[in-house]
Amino acid sequence: MYKKLIANTKLHFRGIGFFNKKNFHTSIKTFNNTMITNDIKTEVNIDNITSEMNNTIIPKRPVIKIDYTNKLILAPMVRVNGLAFRQICADFGADIVYSEELVDKKLFKCKPVINQKLNTIDYMYGDTIVYQVEIVSPESKSRTGRQEVPTVLQLGTSSPSLALEVAELMIDGYDAIDVNMGCPKKFSIKGGMGSSLLKKENQENALEILRTLVKGIKEKYGKPVTCKIRLLDTMEETLDLYKRLEATGVSAICVHARYIPQRPREKAHSHLIASIAEIAKIPLIANGDVFKQEDFERIKEVTKCNSLMIARGAMWNCSIFRKEGALDKVETAKQLLSRLKYYSYHEGLSKYILKRMFETQPKTKLYEALSKSKGFEQLEKALEVDEKIVDIITPEVLASIVGEKDETIEETENPTKKIKMD
């Protein structure tokens, strides 16, 4: 029966590719063995959505204490922050790692599948792996697998009740939960999520989401609840909202030093975070324009924050977290590609991640070779191009990056389908 099922099944990994059938063979058998005998979909009266999470027995995830002070944190990045990327950043030295923003309505309809071969929990939406996390084990080879580095699930939501329902259903799939209140892209704001929550008319809903999660997750299960926001039009408005967010009981708040309409290619206003730091009573995390290790102390001094969240700096070279100093970018890319292959990422997504990694050098032979690559073998050959790669980040370089232009990402079964991979 399993062979027939596998032969007729093409599993999409993160919405754009096919999951390795050999790995999934174990998952199917394990999944059937862990299913409750009466395999009936659980009807939950939230937006008429059907959830299947209650039907699977998931290993209990230990609750760990998370300190958000003096930390270097991997920021959430769409399509990049899958398990392989979170894992390698943690192994290089990141103190906390975030998932990409994941929408509550999609997660609510997911079915968790135990993958014994990879020792992961794969949250499946049909034939798509929406979220993948390691099963905690002291024998794990990775820091995230041993819980030395906490994994934070970042949630895209506009509903207090649904956010809590999803957070409880997935309680053993993360160490802390974060609410995205800063993403300005269409896929996030169209449902009242992301930066929509910062609009004056939606701020009370944002506060209620946090209050609900603090009561239902932090107080009940002992897992931290945090949020990530942007600067509002004025500092007075920003400070007022910050105080109200703090009052909900969240464990930490990250502030991206850009206004809602700003895009990554525009300079961050890091100095404005210092005014928030003066009134902060909980850990405050600064985010924006941390591109290389030399930026760490500068941004800390400017923002008066001791914790930093790093996005593109990590995407361009995930060894940025390495205390002994960042490694050669090409060597880092080779290590990342090895993990992408191990976790059966689709070649198209792997190519996308590597191209984003080298997007600051679009005129190099290496980038050209990556762009022409089809399949893992050609990606590996592209990284063998004999060429010295030097990162020079200037405003002109940032403005020229194609990957930074606005993208329409639909919340569908194939969220990355609109991006050309070849």
Side-chain angles (χ1 to χ4, degrees):
M1 180 182 72
Y2 300 120
K3 290 182 178 179
K4 183 178 180 181
L5 178 57
I6 292 171
N8 295 328
T9 301
K10 290 183 177 180
L11 288 181
H12 287 270
F13 189 91
R14 308 195 72 74
I16 65 167
F18 303 125
F19 191 82
N20 185 291
K21 294 176 182 177
K22 181 172 64 175
N23 290 346
F24 188 63
H25 190 276
T26 304
S27 302
I28 294 174
K29 291 195 292 186
T30 308
F31 176 67
N32 277 344
N33 290 337
T34 57
M35 287 291 290
I36 294 176
T37 53
N38 57 333
D39 183 12
I40 303 173
K41 293 181 179 179
T42 304
E43 295 293 338
V44 182
N45 187 25
I46 297 180
D47 297 336
N48 296 318
I49 303 173
T50 302
S51 174
E52 296 186 2
M53 287 205 203
N54 285 328
N55 294 340
T56 308
I57 299 173
I58 297 299
K60 187 73 175 176
R61 190 178 185 90
V63 176
I64 59 174
K65 184 177 180 181
I66 302 177
D67 181 5
Y68 289 90
T69 59
N70 293 300
K71 296 294 185 288
L72 293 177
I73 303 168
L74 173 65
M77 290 180 283
V78 174
R79 290 183 301 278
V80 175
N81 284 38
L83 175 56
F85 192 79
R86 299 196 307 268
Q87 187 186 83
I88 195 171
C89 286
D91 289 344
F92 274 133
D95 297 306
I96 302 172
V97 294
Y98 279 53
S99 74
E100 61 188 303
E101 179 189 7
L102 296 169
V103 178
D104 54 3
K105 291 182 180 179
K106 174 68 74 62
L107 290 173
F108 192 71
K109 293 184 283 186
C110 286
K111 178 185 292 186
V113 177
I114 306 300
N115 187 320
Q116 283 189 328
K117 182 176 178 62
L118 296 177
N119 198 40
T120 60
I121 306 170
D122 301 342
Y123 290 85
M124 307 290 299
Y125 177 68
D127 59 1
T128 304
I129 296 180
V130 175
Y131 175 65
Q132 187 177 44
V133 65
E134 293 160 290
I135 296 173
V136 174
S137 169
E139 287 78 38
S140 175
K141 295 180 180 179
S142 73
R143 296 178 72 213
T144 45
R146 296 191 299 270
Q147 268 186 318
E148 293 173 10
V149 173
T151 295
V152 180
L153 174 67
Q154 195 191 55
L155 198 61
T157 184
S158 61
S159 167
S161 57
L162 184 54
L164 177 59
E165 188 74 20
V166 168
E168 284 203 285
L169 286 170
M170 297 182 67
I171 196 65
D172 292 310
Y174 60 86
D175 299 308
I177 196 158
D178 180 82
V179 177
N180 185 319
M181 296 184 177
C183 183
K185 290 188 176 182
K186 291 180 181 179
F187 89 98
S188 186
I189 64 175
K190 73 174 186 178
M193 304 178 294
S195 60
S196 285
L197 292 169
L198 299 181
K199 294 180 179 180
K200 183 165 289 188
E201 62 269 25
N202 295 332
Q203 288 179 9
E204 183 52 42
N205 185 44
L207 296 170
E208 185 57 27
I209 290 171
L210 294 178
R211 286 191 288 260
T212 300
L213 288 173
V214 167
K215 183 177 181 180
I217 299 300
K218 181 181 177 180
E219 296 178 3
K220 183 177 179 180
Y221 297 97
K223 297 194 175 188
V225 174
T226 62
C227 65
K228 186 172 185 286
I229 67 171
R230 285 190 172 223
L231 298 171
L232 300 186
D233 291 341
T234 68
M235 279 310 299
E236 183 180 5
E237 292 176 301
T238 303
L239 293 172
D240 176 68
L241 177 60
Y242 181 87
K243 291 175 184 177
R244 290 188 288 152
L245 292 170
E246 235 185 21
T248 64
V250 292
S251 299
I253 297 175
C254 175
V255 178
H256 183 170
R258 285 183 173 85
Y259 297 108
I260 295 172
Q262 280 189 284
R263 293 301 179 262
R265 56 184 174 270
E266 300 175 71
K267 185 176 176 60
H269 306 284
S270 300
H271 64 287
L272 296 179
I273 295 181
S275 296
I276 305 174
E278 291 178 1
I279 66 166
K281 298 178 182 178
I282 60 175
L284 175 63
I285 305 163
N287 174 226
D289 289 0
V290 184
F291 299 137
K292 50 189 182 297
Q293 290 186 334
E294 292 84 345
D295 294 329
F296 293 173
E297 293 306 316
R298 178 181 63 81
I299 298 294
K300 286 182 179 181
E301 177 62 29
V302 170
T303 63
K304 307 304 178 185
C305 294
N306 55 36
S307 289
L308 302 178
M309 182 173 281
I310 307 171
R312 287 175 295 167
M315 182 176 67
W316 293 335
N317 189 339
C318 45
S319 68
I320 190 174
F321 297 103
R322 192 169 175 266
K323 290 179 173 58
E324 302 84 358
L327 297 174
D328 173 75
K329 187 170 183 174
V330 177
E331 174 57 33
T332 303
K334 291 178 182 178
Q335 292 187 35
L336 175 59
L337 180 57
S338 176
R339 299 202 191 204
L340 294 173
K341 288 179 62 178
Y342 178 78
Y343 283 104
S344 304
Y345 274 55
H346 183 257
E347 292 95 331
L349 180 57
S350 300
K351 175 179 175 178
Y352 171 82
I353 293 171
L354 291 177
K355 284 182 66 179
R356 290 302 306 269
M357 186 172 183
F358 289 94
E359 66 187 2
T360 54
Q361 299 95 9
K363 296 182 180 180
T364 60
K365 294 179 182 178
L366 189 150
Y367 188 85
E368 183 180 353
L370 286 174
S371 299
K372 294 179 180 179
S373 296
K374 294 183 179 180
F376 284 120
E377 185 176 345
Q378 290 187 19
L379 287 172
E380 289 170 339
K381 287 182 179 178
L383 294 177
E384 295 298 335
V385 172
D386 185 16
E387 184 178 23
K388 185 175 179 60
I389 301 296
V390 180
D391 258 331
I392 302 177
I393 309 301
T394 64
E396 291 74 25
V397 169
L398 293 176
S400 69
I401 294 174
V402 175
E404 295 299 348
K405 292 182 178 179
D406 298 336
E407 300 157 347
T408 299
I409 307 173
E410 299 296 337
E411 177 49 29
T412 64
E413 187 173 343
N414 297 298
T416 54
K417 198 171 184 180
K418 292 188 179 226
I419 295 200
K420 188 176 181 180
M421 296 296 172
D422 296 308

